Amino acid sequence: MSEAQDFKYIGRRVVRPDGVDKVTGRANFGADFALPGMLYGKVLRSPHAHARVKKIDVSAAAAMEGVYAIVTGADFPKVGSEEITGGEGAGDFADLATNVMARDKVVYHGHALAAVAAKSNAIVDAALSAIKVEYEVLKPVLDLDTAMADGAPLVNDKLFTAGLKEKPTRPSNVAAYMEFKRGDIDKGFAEAEVVVEGTFRTPTVHQGYIEPHACVATINQGGQATIWCCTQGHFDVRSMTCKVLNLNVADVRVIPSEIGGGFGGKTTIYLEPVAVMLSKKAGRPVKMTMTRDEVFRASGPASATKCTVKIGAKKDGTITSMHAWLAYEAGAYKGSSMAPGAMCIFAPYNVPNFLIQGYDVLVNKPKVAAYRAPGAPQSMYACESVLDDLARQLKMDPLDLRLKNAVSEGSVAAYGPKFNAIGFKQCLEAAKKHPNYKLKLGPNEGRGIAAGFWFNAGMQSSAEVHINENGTVTVVEGSPDIGGSRASMALMASEELGVPYENVRVLVADTESAGYNNVTGGSRVTFATGMAVIQASRDIIAQCKQRAAATWGIEADMVDWKDGQAIPKPGVNADVKPLTLAQIAANAGRTGGPLLGRASLNARGPGPGFSINMADVRVDPETGKVDVLRFTAIQDAGRAIHPSYVEGQMQGGAAQGLGWALNEEYVYDANGVLQNAGFLDYRMPVASDLPMIDTQIIEVPNPNHPYGVRGVGEVPIVAPLAAAANAVRDATGIRIHDLPLSPPRVLAALEARKG
Amino acid sequence: MSEAQDFKYIGRRVVRPDGVDKVTGRANFGADFALPGMLYGKVLRSPHAHARVKKIDVSAAAAMEGVYAIVTGADFPKVGSEEITGGEGAGDFADLATNVMARDKVVYHGHALAAVAAKSNAIVDAALSAIKVEYEVLKPVLDLDTAMADGAPLVNDKLFTAGLKEKPTRPSNVAAYMEFKRGDIDKGFAEAEVVVEGTFRTPTVHQGYIEPHACVATINQGGQATIWCCTQGHFDVRSMTCKVLNLNVADVRVIPSEIGGGFGGKTTIYLEPVAVMLSKKAGRPVKMTMTRDEVFRASGPASATKCTVKIGAKKDGTITSMHAWLAYEAGAYKGSSMAPGAMCIFAPYNVPNFLIQGYDVLVNKPKVAAYRAPGAPQSMYACESVLDDLARQLKMDPLDLRLKNAVSEGSVAAYGPKFNAIGFKQCLEAAKKHPNYKLKLGPNEGRGIAAGFWFNAGMQSSAEVHINENGTVTVVEGSPDIGGSRASMALMASEELGVPYENVRVLVADTESAGYNNVTGGSRVTFATGMAVIQASRDIIAQCKQRAAATWGIEADMVDWKDGQAIPKPGVNADVKPLTLAQIAANAGRTGGPLLGRASLNARGPGPGFSINMADVRVDPETGKVDVLRFTAIQDAGRAIHPSYVEGQMQGGAAQGLGWALNEEYVYDANGVLQNAGFLDYRMPVASDLPMIDTQIIEVPNPNHPYGVRGVGEVPIVAPLAAAANAVRDATGIRIHDLPLSPPRVLAALEARKG
């Protein structure tokens, strides 16, 4: 740990600035905005998983009273194939454009192929029913094995595998291949005394954010558009919408609402360009809101995967070789989260020989999107399950096995970079000492542990700090607040400026009011935008020193800033009283005008995050139902700016990970029609399904951030899958390789053993 | 004139950025905003000009279905008596608070004394009718002579005259006295060969902005309020509302709408605190919109005045002495525009001896507000009329008389400062050469000329410049755009950055998104906010040079910025290609993050503005009706950033000044009840009343602005009153001393001469 810092505001559990509005229902989310004369828009979606669109006849719908506009793919501009920049999981523009509105072909059940704007939702629904579409139904590809097999039907017959050493000669559903390697795995396995291998599958799951996608768009006759929407990145909504519609970013203003969850799923666009096109045709604002059914069918879930992991070790637990073969479903357009999954899988371990092979595979399902630590839960589920099996074979404590091989400062990560100060060993040691690790288990109960990792992101942020005339502070930034970043930004501004938290307000401003900011994702905001807020506050302090110096008639470099006041440096021969920020602000007009600070950066060195999770479960031998008795999340936060929010992230990630482990899955029929597009049939954990999640924050400061911050939002979802699966293995004695560990699957395994 | 500057964008008549939305009806003005669950609020107004409020019984109204909240003065906090800062014409907080909502006394016909919020405007109206008020009616004071007379009834019996040499011993309707003097006027008059004197009266007139006052306010349970409103200064709305309601400025966000005219009348608050209080009681957003009747009765018109001016001169036209006695109605609360009227009256002339005496006088009429060059049209009407009479007596061309005494660079203005480069003589010379000055007049026709002056303001402004990822530019500032400032700001950013005007967008941002800005008033915005935009653009250029230097591996001071590109300075030994702003922007992530510039200032040296107006009129001897045949406005703009907007200001000011001269006036009955609170009875000029206003822009650059800008918005209204009056004098041979020169008044004068 680095030397202790003495903080006045950092680390305090202050009141959330958005709390009152959220608990009283005043906060405005995506669907809460309205404009005079606004129409309602909705999308016609494909009933087929794979079909050619031969004809769309909108004439009957267009003739209906109250229908103002209908658009189909033919109304949208042709979009080239440049790579998009700056958007987490945004993919390709041509793909993005046809995912937003199909052209000649629909490639998943739920794919948009037309949209209507009308005076009311009832008229919209009637008009959608009146649109006649002729399809030529094609055979869909619905799983990785089929998709990767020779002679498989092709989702996209113009796609050739990228990343192969030899140029492919024919199209494939495999969109991309990549690998990381070190040493020689064959040699490593030859040196091993124990080798364990397993193949694991995870299903398609959804982020399950409470708030469906929603937006209001309006475009004027001059081509200037405004979009209100719920998003993790309004600058990305702007750039993506402009690419899809061939607009100038200067002509599009995107105003973010409050956001009712995103978890990576709100880093791309679905409705926004459609609403703009409808508004353009109708000459009125258009509001679009997805139903839950549409969210499941047509937004971006997480990749289903098939991962084979093989690990060899000496009898003392020293790992000699690791091999991962990872296949990720991309959905109908290329770009799964395979790459980050491959980056993370072996990152916690020092190993001389490894090979990680990753495949990005097209299937006739909705295009996947990012989901919290995208790709890592799936791959690390496989790795951490195999390590668990290895520990059993070695008769070693699973924490000790990990400690034996754990990376620390100076280790070179499997994905390339050398680690700076990291807290993995500290998490393992904390787990060993944790009282929950020592509790006795009863019959049919089991305990599983697993490690989690996420590399965390930096990226571009900017911030402005305005000092009001009474000395209060407004921070203007452009990172939508999903996990409490307004409170964190205010705390950091308070700490720098030396003013009470209560005096600081944080505004998440729109694309015109704020400087450019990358998406809220990659656990980057508290780190990167926070750093911008700190620097902008320092810009203010520098100006305040100048104002004080001018007031006192001394040089600015003879002024210090302490406890929210300008004071003369020791030895300054001037009889002056300290000037508070409020005093300097009140006098700003006479000393040079309003106080206005700014900073922008592309943040480097975000500081990777590690976790250890422990799950205790009881498996009902009669039904196969798994109850989580206890769950303990231990995680290195670098520095917890607002500990309650950090704990909230750890608890939320655990809840989502346990849902993924135990119950959640997309269920398709043989034709690729989704069978459970609603929360009654798609089984997310509710409060009664879970115990209180115990948390322990470890603080190994990130040396690249002034306060030591490292991202905390994504690590929490990585370890729960394996922790729960290892606990079920412990409780039942059976290793089940496929998720979810739902009652039917667990019961089948129990009965197979009996049988 | 200073040396010519070679501009690429400045001076171009580019398309207005708000044009499309305004002509197609999409632009949102104060009343165009709505929130879910919003209520409608309205004010109960006094039917008496002066009365004690004995009892307000709201019980019947409160019991009505659909009524959510009722407030009276008793609901508002007690407000102290500190001076407000930063608001043009904002006056005193205690006065402001009781003007917004009366406490124990109503002091003008239309004074607010209760307000209701209900589900619909119909319910509001019914509830207002159901409120029972017991009044003790007091004798009102309705004109300056009565108010200033000994023993007059007192509007405020706690008010003592400020500014007197001897402390007053009893209360008075005279709120303040001030004077400017130089030399010895008695000596000056003794030296004169001709002395002319006259007493002139001007009526109460209204700015007549098209858009009535309107706002929507909402406040949450945490005390955080948001106000949408049409205003000239949202930062002032914030500070004033906070003073009246005892709120923290950090808790109030004010979002300005488009504004349908203000002319000084939207520099203060009426509805905003009432809407917040209603919202607080109702727990819902509240919208309030004034009717035209309310605008006339209860917003702030311009002072009625009585001005006596005496001027002595030698036979060659050299002025030896000037004396002005100025009394301005303040309405029911102190603070008329007497002071700026006194500053302006003799400012255009070099005179060794002068005395200007000003009185600020309470009467039972609505508290006046600023109206375009506040105070100057009234005082200068008197001065320029007397000068006209003087020229007649001297048989001198009126332009030559003014040229003989005109101030120029180095002259000390009557109100104190020494003039820098100014364009008064250039305007006079242009008038002499103007073809309209040589046209022959017919029977019953006359020509009048007059000078106009306004000192112009600087004050605090700030601006941010954001560079989008495609190199387009967003300017963020906080000065509501009344007269085309968005176009001017964009032109200045274009000029500095060297990018096309079409690539620049300007956002007038709210109090949280923008840095602090003083009100849009005093003709300060193009000068002061423009300077902030220029400086923020230079901040961007400095950053671009650093980015280019880093890219090229040279020092930043070896980089020049030219034509929107970074180029190496001559002699730099590096084989590099120029980098455009778009290229630097596209690469910003790799060179340090988003490009974000900022500047703030308290602008000094705004550069006074002068004008000469010429009016040709025909007076109908049968009816007394005055038709304006031709009107020529000549004005020094320093530098016309967007000439069409400058001409628009000149034409608009002329139209308003001619209305003031010829027809507009508040008509009160003996009890102080306004008789003509509507556009049918309050006679503003319409298009058919006026000729095309001819304009000629003079450009004597202001040396205190990088491009030479001086304010242009207010000067245009100053000279038309006297120009028109002098033309009527020329046509009829009769000097009428009171405005307006409406048909009954002119006819009466014509008949009096006959009789």
Side-chain angles (χ1 to χ4, degrees), chain A residues 190-378:
Chain A
E191 286 164 16
E193 293 166 315
V194 183
V195 174
V196 179
E197 181 173 358
T199 295
F200 298 82
R201 289 170 193 272
T202 66
T204 302
V205 298
H206 198 273
Q207 301 87 351
Y209 31 82
I210 296 175
E211 183 197 23
H213 299 261
C215 69
V216 175
T218 181
I219 184 166
N220 72 8
Q221 286 84 340
Q224 293 177 301
T226 306
I227 300 169
W228 293 258
C229 64
C230 54
T231 176
Q232 294 177 236
H234 42 307
F235 288 91
D236 285 334
V237 170
R238 182 176 71 166
S239 62
M240 288 190 254
T241 302
C242 287
K243 287 292 183 186
V244 167
L245 296 181
N246 200 21
L247 295 172
N248 181 346
V249 291
D251 285 330
V252 178
R253 181 179 186 184
V254 182
I255 302 175
S257 67
E258 292 292 339
I259 176 168
F263 309 108
K266 288 179 183 160
T267 56
T268 186
I269 53 169
Y270 301 104
L271 301 176
E272 292 81 359
V274 182
V276 172
M277 285 301 290
L278 286 171
S279 173
K280 190 176 175 184
K281 268 204 168 179
R284 292 199 183 198
V286 174
K287 176 185 233 166
M288 299 188 79
T289 312
M290 282 196 191
T291 61
R292 181 61 59 184
D293 177 90
E294 288 180 286
V295 172
F296 273 107
R297 287 170 63 192
S299 68
S303 296
T305 61
K306 179 184 176 187
C307 300
T308 299
V309 171
K310 182 178 172 187
I311 302 179
K314 296 281 190 190
K315 280 190 177 152
D316 68 352
T318 305
I319 297 174
T320 58
S321 195
M322 299 177 105
H323 179 213
W325 181 98
L326 313 172
Y328 279 60
E329 288 184 5
Y333 297 98
K334 67 177 180 284
S336 67
S337 46
M338 173 270 288
M343 286 168 70
C344 291
I345 183 168
F346 296 151
Y349 305 109
N350 272 319
V351 56
N353 308 294
F354 66 79
L355 172 63
I356 304 162
Q357 297 173 291
Y359 298 86
D360 181 42
V361 184
L362 263 52
V363 292
N364 287 114
K365 295 186 184 174
K367 166 75 168 77
V368 300
Y371 178 18
R372 214 169 179 167
Q378 299 102 310

Side-chain angles (χ1 to χ4, degrees), chain A residues 21 251 464 505 589 594 600 602, chain B residues 220 251 464 505 589 594 600 602:
Chain A
D21 277 355
D251 285 330
E464 286 151 15
R505 302 290 185 279
S600 74
N602 190 338
Chain B
N220 71 9
D251 285 330
E464 287 152 14
R505 302 290 185 277
S600 75
N602 190 339

Side-chain angles (χ1 to χ4, degrees), chain B residues 171-196:
Chain B
S172 166
N173 288 321
V174 178
Y177 169 77
M178 71 174 294
E179 62 179 43
F180 292 104
K181 65 185 290 189
R182 179 189 294 162
D184 176 344
I185 56 166
D186 292 336
K187 181 170 153 280
F189 284 121
E191 286 165 15
E193 293 166 317
V194 182
V195 174
V196 179

Side-chain angles (χ1 to χ4, degrees), chain B residues 334-454:
Chain B
K334 66 176 183 284
S336 67
S337 47
M338 173 271 287
M343 285 168 71
C344 291
I345 182 169
F346 296 152
Y349 306 109
N350 272 319
V351 55
N353 308 292
F354 65 80
L355 173 63
I356 304 163
Q357 298 174 290
Y359 298 86
D360 181 43
V361 184
L362 264 51
V363 293
N364 287 113
K365 295 186 184 175
K367 166 76 167 76
V368 300
Y371 179 18
R372 211 170 183 166
Q378 299 102 310
S379 63
M380 292 187 77
Y381 157 61
C383 175
E384 295 293 312
S385 295
V386 171
L387 280 175
D388 193 70
D389 288 346
L390 179 64
R392 279 175 202 282
Q393 289 211 21
L394 294 171
K395 297 193 176 19
M396 236 180 131
D397 177 291
L399 292 171
D400 287 335
L401 174 61
R402 288 167 175 86
L403 262 171
K404 179 113 203 162
N405 297 284
V407 289
S408 56
E409 187 167 352
S411 302
V412 176
Y415 61 98
K418 188 188 264 193
F419 285 121
N420 214 317
I422 51 172
F424 187 37
K425 286 191 171 172
Q426 290 83 341
C427 288
L428 284 160
E429 279 152 10
K432 284 199 75 169
K433 280 184 230 153
H434 200 285
N436 286 2
Y437 197 56
K438 292 160 192 157
L439 292 175
K440 283 247 174 191
L441 295 167
N444 298 313
E445 293 181 0
R447 177 168 299 151
I449 76 109
F453 171 79
W454 183 249

Side-chain angles (χ1 to χ4, degrees), chain A residues 398-468:
Chain A
L399 291 170
D400 287 335
L401 173 62
R402 286 167 176 86
L403 263 171
K404 180 115 203 158
N405 298 284
V407 289
S408 57
E409 187 168 352
S411 302
V412 175
Y415 60 97
K418 188 190 264 195
F419 285 119
N420 214 319
I422 51 172
F424 187 37
K425 286 190 171 173
Q426 290 83 342
C427 288
L428 284 160
E429 279 151 11
K432 282 198 79 169
K433 280 183 230 152
H434 201 285
N436 286 0
Y437 196 56
K438 292 158 192 157
L439 293 175
K440 282 246 175 192
L441 294 168
N444 298 314
E445 292 180 2
R447 177 166 297 148
I449 76 109
F453 171 79
W454 182 249
F455 44 84
N456 291 324
M459 307 209 282
Q460 296 187 68
S461 283
S462 62
E464 286 151 15
V465 173
H466 301 157
I467 309 299
N468 298 317

Side-chain angles (χ1 to χ4, degrees), chain A residues 115-134:
Chain A
V116 172
K119 257 179 138 162
S120 72
N121 278 316
I123 297 173
V124 171
D125 288 337
L128 290 175
S129 306
I131 296 176
K132 295 183 200 87
V133 187
E134 280 179 41

Side-chain angles (χ1 to χ4, degrees), chain A residues 21 26 218-220 238 248-249 251 464 466 469-470 476 505 512 539 589 592 594 596 598 600-602, chain B residues 21 26 218-220 238 248-249 251 464 466 469-470 476 505 512 539 589 592 594 596 598 600-602:
Chain A
D21 277 355
R26 275 181 190 263
T218 181
I219 184 166
N220 72 8
R238 182 176 71 166
N248 181 346
V249 291
D251 285 330
E464 286 151 15
H466 301 157
E469 65 263 35
N470 66 348
V476 181
R505 302 290 185 279
E512 288 199 355
D539 185 11
L596 188 58
R598 61 114 174 83
S600 74
L601 46 83
N602 190 338
Chain B
D21 276 355
R26 275 183 190 261
T218 182
I219 183 165
N220 71 9
R238 183 176 69 166
N248 180 346
V249 293
D251 285 330
E464 287 152 14
H466 301 158
E469 65 263 37
N470 66 348
V476 180
R505 302 290 185 277
E512 288 198 355
D539 184 11
L596 188 58
R598 62 112 174 84
S600 75
L601 46 84
N602 190 339

